């Protein structure tokens, strides 16, 4: 079951950024394996 949307209608957003080789993918993979992140959406922008 996913968490309900906040009462104010806002959706929490986290931006993950860093230098090449800084561990962004490793961190993201570890976070997404957590059960609490089951309802998370990931948007990848490879500018």
């Amino acid at each position: 079951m996913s968490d309900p949307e906040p009462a104010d209608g806002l959706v929490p957003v986290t931006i993950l950024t860093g230098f090449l080789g800084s561990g962004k993918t490793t961190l993201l993979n570890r976070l997404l394996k957590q059960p609490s992140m089951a309802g998370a959406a990931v948007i990848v922008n490879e500018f």
Side-chain angles (χ1 to χ4, degrees):
M1 180 179 216
S2 63
D3 292 334
E5 216 174 288
D8 57 8
L10 299 176
V11 177
V13 174
T14 301
I15 298 174
L16 179 61
T17 183
F19 292 105
L20 182 67
S22 64
K24 299 177 298 290
T25 301
T26 301
L27 175 63
L28 185 60
N29 284 332
R30 289 182 183 177
L31 287 173
L32 291 175
K33 289 179 182 176
Q34 300 299 315
S36 61
M37 298 293 285
V42 177
I43 299 173
V44 177
N45 179 11
E46 294 187 22
F47 184 85

